[in-house]
Amino acid sequence: MAIGVGAGLTIGFLALIVIVSTTIWLVERSNSLFEQSALQRTSRIAAVELRDHLRTAESSQRGFLLTGNQIYLAPYDTAKTRARQELDDLGRMIAPNAPNRAMLPRLSEAVGEKIGEMDNSIALKSAGRDADALALLQRNRGKTLMDEINVFLYGAILIADENITLYSAEQQRNASVLRWISAGAAVVIILVVFVVAFTVYRNGQDLKVARDEVQAANLTLEERVKSRTADLAMARERAEVLLTEVNHRVANSLQLVAVLVGMQMRTVTDTSAKDALRETQSRISAISLIHKSLYTSGDVTNVALNDYLGAMLGNLETAMKKDGHTAILKCYLEPISLSTDASVSLGVAVQELVTNAFKYAYPDEKTGEVRVRLKRLEGGKAELTVEDDGVGIALNSAHAGTGLGSKIINTMASALKTHVEYINRMPGTMARLVLTTANA
């Protein structure tokens, strides 16, 4: 038993190390990509602003040359000053290894020459030398310079757009990798729990066989029997203590995974990735509550559903309200016990059903109730329903989301050897499960 438990805990610990290390790296990489994307956006804005200010200055220059009206000089001076500022900003933002870095000196020279040409024409017009000003304009030197400047700025905008696209794609890939790592970690931890539980169960069977052998060995040796019985009782106590400790560590490990997923969720900008991470975090937390209820109660094999579902749904309602959902959750839970494995499946199914009710029952910021009822039936059965007064469901309707929630619900119902019945209440929808309890 010690070898099996030790190996299981070692595997779980190594899995957590891999998760934490990978998550830290992904977070740091995400921050770096965010900073680089911000710099590219700023450089793109600077290039666009420089181009627009030069065009504004050129339009004001031509307006003054054509009309002689001084009103065109105020926007000309402003645009010229802003163009020089944007040129300086662009020079600071372009990376040293960027392909267009070598062209910056020529860009600065062209911008200066363009502004100088416009200043000279305005000075000639102001001095009454209209013919000289017109001759300077007709040389088309200003148009040549503006075409050269536009070529450089278009290239800078194109490079910034390409870099922003690349950085965004890498961020999405990193988010996908983290989702898979989180899912894989949850599977590994669940497998470790099952391995440890099986090892404890097998040890319990061995203890039972050994106790029978001791009782049949020699009834006349009372002291030997007492000693052996005491050893067996102590071993069983150690096994129960160890199982409690395992549940405690598993609950803590799952909570750590949920926290790590929450940290990554805050760094992701993609809405679909953020929603997927939030749902993954809720599912991990639901499983964690099972193990918490096991090590905080005296029974390490059965779960009090009224306590477990009450705590889980309270957490879920708080999370949904933080996301802007306005529905009100009400629970009516009778005291019913269920085995650990079945409680995990039921908890995940209930969480998906309630989440779907919050998301889709009351669209357009409407509010209403979502009611969860758990009651005992005859013949060792229990009924769990999730109902709302919302828009209802249409038969054979497509899922509003990805459909993953419905797949999870059906999978959990199969694990409970039952199925989910959807009833259109008009208005509203009821989801109903009938299951066999631990007291059947």
Side-chain angles (χ1 to χ4, degrees), residues 53 70 137 148 215 240 263 296 366 379 389 412 424:
H53 289 317
Q70 297 287 333
L137 189 64
E148 183 180 356
Q215 291 175 352
E240 292 179 351
M263 291 172 58
T296 54
K366 294 181 180 179
D389 304 316
M412 296 301 103
N424 197 334

Side-chain angles (χ1 to χ4, degrees), residues 40 62 71 116 131 133 154 160 196 201 226 281 295 333 341-342 416-417 428:
Q40 292 298 322
R62 294 181 184 274
I71 196 172
Y154 177 79
V196 173
Y201 170 78
K226 288 182 178 180
Q281 184 184 38
Y295 74 75
L333 308 174
D341 294 345
L416 292 167
K417 298 180 180 180

Side-chain angles (χ1 to χ4, degrees), residues 72-246:
Y72 287 100
L73 296 183
Y76 169 78
D77 291 335
T78 301
K80 180 176 66 174
T81 302
R82 295 292 301 277
R84 288 187 174 124
Q85 292 174 350
E86 296 296 342
L87 178 62
D88 293 338
D89 293 340
L90 186 63
R92 289 193 300 270
M93 293 172 190
I94 295 180
N97 58 347
N100 55 350
R101 181 71 185 183
M103 295 295 295
L104 271 177
R106 176 53 195 159
L107 175 65
S108 300
E109 182 180 345
V111 171
E113 189 174 347
K114 172 64 179 177
I115 293 175
E117 186 264 348
M118 291 189 292
D119 286 341
N120 289 338
S121 64
I122 290 175
L124 291 173
K125 178 68 175 179
S126 299
R129 299 168 59 185
D130 293 1
D132 293 338
L134 182 60
L136 181 62
L137 189 64
Q138 290 175 344
R139 286 172 52 197
N140 279 335
R141 178 58 179 166
K143 180 180 182 304
T144 302
L145 291 170
M146 196 64 191
D147 290 342
E148 183 180 356
I149 293 169
N150 283 333
V151 169
F152 177 91
L153 295 179
Y154 177 79
I157 293 171
L158 185 61
I159 291 173
D161 289 340
E162 291 175 350
N163 289 336
I164 291 171
T165 301
L166 290 174
Y167 297 152
S168 177
E170 185 173 351
Q171 284 182 312
Q172 292 178 355
R173 288 195 300 271
N174 289 345
S176 178
V177 169
L178 184 61
R179 287 197 298 271
W180 282 108
I181 289 176
S182 300
V187 170
V188 170
I189 291 174
I190 291 173
L191 288 177
V192 170
V193 173
F194 284 137
V195 169
V196 173
F198 175 76
T199 303
V200 173
Y201 170 78
R202 187 175 58 185
N203 183 73
Q205 294 297 107
D206 293 340
L207 289 175
K208 181 179 179 181
V209 172
R211 184 169 55 247
D212 293 339
E213 291 176 352
V214 169
Q215 291 175 352
N218 195 344
L219 296 176
T220 61
L221 301 177
E222 183 178 356
E223 292 298 325
R224 182 179 177 183
V225 172
K226 288 182 178 180
S227 176
R228 184 58 175 167
T229 303
D231 291 340
L232 290 174
M234 185 176 297
R236 189 173 188 84
E237 181 179 357
R238 285 199 299 266
E240 292 179 351
V241 170
L242 181 57
L243 183 56
T244 299
E245 178 64 17
V246 168

Side-chain angles (χ1 to χ4, degrees), residues 310-323:
M312 185 197 73
L313 293 173
N315 293 341
L316 180 59
E317 181 183 22
T318 300
M320 297 305 292
K321 288 187 180 298
K322 286 183 179 179
D323 289 342

